[in-house]
Amino acid sequence: RGWSMTPPLRCATRVEGGRVNDASAGPTKRWTVEITLPMRSLVYNTSAASAPAPAAVAAAAAGAGGGGGAPAPAAGDFWRINFSRVEWHVVVGPDGRTYHKDSAGHPHDPDNWVWSPQGEVAMHLPERWGLLQFASGAVNVTPPEYYTQWPIRAAAAAVYYAQHAWRNGPGKGEYTDDLSVLARMAPPGALTTAVGGGGGGDVACVKDIRRRRHR
């Protein structure tokens, strides 16, 4: 569903000056792309409480009724989302029309543009994507809500990365069940530990990190 949306995905482009992929037509001043994503496909198999059962969505998507179509997420729901565009450096080919990747000047150096910063060139890390807040009011007037699941999800991500940092470093291929070790391997302040009398970290506490809010 979400990975095969063509159709009913719709898209349109507008180019001012020149022609797409035709260097002989002169430089392009600007261009825009618009895409509409089908909500039926996006909510398929979602676990959100406000979403319909997968069977109802499948029936609606197949045009068989059984639910009257997939409703949009409820106001106040949050989704993780991000957008990416890769811009390769190109040169005009010998024919004067086609473009080719500039393998001499920029062999492995495309520009990567994203909506929400990932921290590295790696889009397939959804725990780092931005937050999309759904609303039922007018555009740009809905007050941002606090994402109540953020503290526990941030802690889970911090533990995951701390485990891999330990395994790839001091742990020499092994994970650890010592929470004080994970607190040291995690980003500063991401995890804290309550240390028991035995000196080991026996309780993990999540620091309530207030996530930058996205509308």
Side-chain angles (χ1 to χ4, degrees):
R1 292 296 186 266
W3 56 89
S4 58
M5 294 188 289
T6 315
L9 177 148
R10 294 185 297 167
C11 62
T13 60
R14 178 182 176 85
V15 179
E16 296 184 27
R19 287 192 296 270
V20 175
N21 294 331
D22 187 350
S24 66
T28 299
K29 295 181 179 179
R30 63 183 64 88
W31 56 266
T32 58
V33 175
E34 295 184 48
I35 302 175
T36 61
L37 304 175
M39 188 60 68
R40 287 181 178 178
S41 298
L42 292 174
V43 301
Y44 186 77
N45 276 344
T46 183
S47 59
S50 61
V57 178
D77 283 355
F78 287 89
W79 279 11
R80 289 281 198 174
I81 194 169
N82 211 344
F83 302 93
S84 172
R85 174 173 176 260
V86 178
E87 172 80 3
W88 289 94
H89 299 272
V90 297
V91 294
V92 179
D95 60 2
R97 297 189 58 183
T98 57
Y99 291 101
H100 303 273
K101 291 181 182 178
D102 186 4
S103 58
H106 305 272
H108 305 289
D109 187 27
D111 294 323
N112 291 269
W113 301 348
V114 295
W115 175 70
S116 181
Q118 289 288 99
E120 60 180 302
V121 182
M123 280 300 295
H124 298 281
L125 300 171
E127 68 274 12
R128 301 185 187 180
W129 293 356
L131 293 175
L132 174 67
Q133 176 188 328
F134 288 90
S136 56
V139 176
N140 293 330
V141 300
T142 302
E145 299 288 342
Y146 176 60
Y147 183 39
T148 57
Q149 295 184 23
W150 173 251
I152 190 63
R153 290 183 179 274
V159 170
Y160 172 84
Y161 285 110
Q163 284 282 19
H164 281 271
W166 173 261
R167 180 177 183 272
N168 296 331
K172 298 179 180 180
E174 298 290 334
Y175 295 110
T176 179
D177 58 2
D178 189 333
L179 296 176
S180 64
V181 170
L182 295 178
R184 293 197 305 270
M185 303 302 294
L191 296 173
T192 59
T193 57
V195 180
D202 54 5
V203 180
C205 302
V206 180
K207 182 178 181 181
D208 186 0
I209 306 173
R210 295 289 170 172
R211 168 73 169 170
R212 177 169 58 91
R213 297 170 179 174
H214 295 277
R215 295 188 179 183

